[in-house]
C-alpha cells in the first residue's frame, strides 16, 4: 500500500510557541489530505480537509487561524499549531488519498504534541 | 453520515476466529462499508471495504447483510498483532471524509 510519513513523530514545546507538523505521501500523489486529532482513549476527530493548491476546509469548531494548513504540493501538507497551549496537546494524524481508486485513505504514523 | 454501532470491546483467544459486528442501519444505498483498525500509538490502517457482496483479502473477510444494515469483519485466525481498535465506517463515493466512531477495542488473549 501507499506510504504516508509524518514529521516529527513527537514534539514538546512551551506554551505560546508555534509548532509545524509535516505530512508527506512518499510514493503517490495525494490530491487530498486530511488532518485529524485524537485525545487519549478517544476516537479520531477530523479537523480539516485540504486539496492541493486550494484553501483547507475546516470542520465545525476548529479554528482556522489557530490550525494553519498548507497543501502546497501533491506530496506535502503541513499543519501549524499557532500559539500552542496545554489544551492543544494531542495526537495529530494526517491521511492522504488520491491513488485514483475509491476514497481509501492512507494514514501517517501520527505526531504526539505536548505543550508545557 | 450514517450512524454506526459497535461493541466497545471484545476479547478473543489467539489463533481463534474473531467476528466483529457493526450496525449501520441508516446507511445509504451508495455508501461503501469501510473497516479500518488502529494499533496502539499508530495511525489507522485500512483493512477492507465492500458494498453488497462479501469480500475477502489477505487481512480479513467482510460479510455484509442482505439489507446492508449490518456487517461483520472476520479475522480468520487472530494473532497478538491483531490487537487494535477496529472502526466500521460507511462512506459514499464522492464523499472522501471518514467519520470515525468509537470502534471496538479487540484484545487477543495468548
Amino acid at each position: 500500500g501507499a506510504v504516508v510519513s509524518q514529521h516529527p513523530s513527537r514534539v514538546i514545546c512551551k506554551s505560546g510557541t508555534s509548532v509545524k507538523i509535516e505530512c508527506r505521501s512518499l510514493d503517490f500523489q495525494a490530491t487530498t489530505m486530511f488532518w485529524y486529532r485524537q485525545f487519549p482513549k478517544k476516537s479520531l476527530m477530523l479537523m480539516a480537509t485540504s486539496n492541493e493548491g486550494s484553501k483547507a476546509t475546516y470542520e465545525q469548531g476548529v479554528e482556522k487561524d489557530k490550525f494553519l494548513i498548507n497543501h502546497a504540493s501533491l506530496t506535502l501538507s503541513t499543519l501549524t499549531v499557532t500559539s500552542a497551549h496545554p489544551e492543544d496537546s494531542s495526537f495529530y494524524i494526517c491521511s492522504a488519498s488520491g491513488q485514483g481508486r475509491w476514497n481509501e485513505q492512507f494514514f501517517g504514523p501520527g505526531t504526539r504534541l505536548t505543550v508545557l | 453520515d450514517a450512524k454506526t454501532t459497535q461493541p466497545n470491546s471484545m476479547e478473543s483467544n489467539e489463533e481463534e476466529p474473531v467476528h466483529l459486528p457493526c450496525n449501520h442501519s441508516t446507511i445509504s444505498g451508495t455508501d461503501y462499508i469501510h473497516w479500518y483498525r488502529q494499533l496502539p500509538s499508530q495511525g489507522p490502517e485500512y483493512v477492507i471495504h465492500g458494498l453488497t457482496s462479501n469480500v475477502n483479502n489477505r487481512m480479513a473477510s467482510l460479510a455484509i447483510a442482505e439489507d446492508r444494515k449490518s456487517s461483520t469483519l472476520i479475522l480468520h485466525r487472530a494473532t497478538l498483532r491483531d490487537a487494535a481498535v477496529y472502526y466500521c465506517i460507511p462512506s459514499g463515493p464522492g464523499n472522501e471524509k471518514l467519520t470515525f466512531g468509537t470502534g471496538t477495542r479487540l484484545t487477543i488473549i495468548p
Side-chain angles (χ1 to χ4, degrees):
Chain A
V3 179
V4 175
S5 69
Q6 280 185 242
H7 178 78
S9 58
R10 186 180 297 264
V11 57
I12 301 172
C13 70
K14 292 182 178 180
S15 186
T17 61
S18 294
V19 175
K20 180 185 283 188
I21 302 169
E22 290 186 351
C23 176
R24 293 182 184 273
S25 58
L26 298 186
D27 51 4
F28 71 101
Q29 294 187 323
T31 52
T32 306
M33 286 185 167
F34 305 84
W35 287 95
Y36 297 82
R37 180 168 53 180
Q38 185 175 35
F39 292 107
K41 305 290 186 185
K42 300 293 185 182
S43 188
L44 283 78
M45 296 296 296
L46 179 65
M47 299 175 66
T49 303
S50 76
N51 291 295
E52 184 264 338
S54 61
K55 289 184 178 180
T57 302
Y58 290 81
E59 295 298 302
Q60 193 171 8
V62 178
E63 300 175 57
K64 61 180 181 181
D65 294 330
K66 178 158 184 69
F67 299 99
L68 301 178
I69 292 171
N70 184 279
H71 191 167
S73 77
L74 285 171
T75 59
L76 174 64
S77 176
T78 59
L79 167 68
T80 301
V81 183
T82 62
S83 186
H85 292 283
E87 57 266 30
D88 299 322
S89 299
S90 188
F91 194 46
Y92 290 87
I93 306 169
C94 73
S95 71
S97 67
Q99 282 274 63
R101 297 189 298 174
W102 54 278
N103 54 337
E104 178 179 358
Q105 291 185 25
F106 300 93
F107 286 82
T111 296
R112 187 160 304 281
L113 170 64
T114 303
V115 184
L116 302 176
Chain B
D1 294 339
K3 288 189 176 180
T4 59
T5 304
Q6 297 180 252
N8 287 332
S9 62
M10 291 183 65
E11 287 185 350
S12 178
N13 293 319
E14 193 176 10
E15 299 187 5
E16 294 285 321
V18 182
H19 291 234
L20 296 162
C22 179
N23 286 321
H24 32 75
S25 58
T26 60
I27 193 170
S28 77
T30 55
D31 280 352
Y32 283 79
I33 301 150
H34 306 270
W35 283 81
Y36 282 78
R37 71 180 185 181
Q38 186 178 23
L39 279 64
S41 298
Q42 295 186 30
E45 65 173 341
Y46 165 80
V47 178
I48 200 167
H49 79 287
L51 184 62
T52 55
S53 304
N54 294 343
V55 185
N56 300 294
N57 67 20
R58 62 177 179 82
M59 288 181 71
S61 295
L62 177 60
I64 301 171
E66 199 169 326
D67 63 7
R68 294 192 358 105
K69 292 184 177 182
S70 65
S71 61
T72 302
L73 179 71
I74 303 165
L75 306 179
H76 295 286
R77 196 162 166 267
T79 69
L80 295 178
R81 290 181 298 176
D82 292 321
V85 179
Y86 287 78
Y87 297 96
C88 154
I89 308 172
S91 182
N95 175 18
E96 295 177 301
K97 295 201 294 187
L98 296 177
T99 301
F100 285 79
T102 54
T104 297
R105 183 174 299 277
L106 176 64
T107 301
I108 305 299
I109 302 167

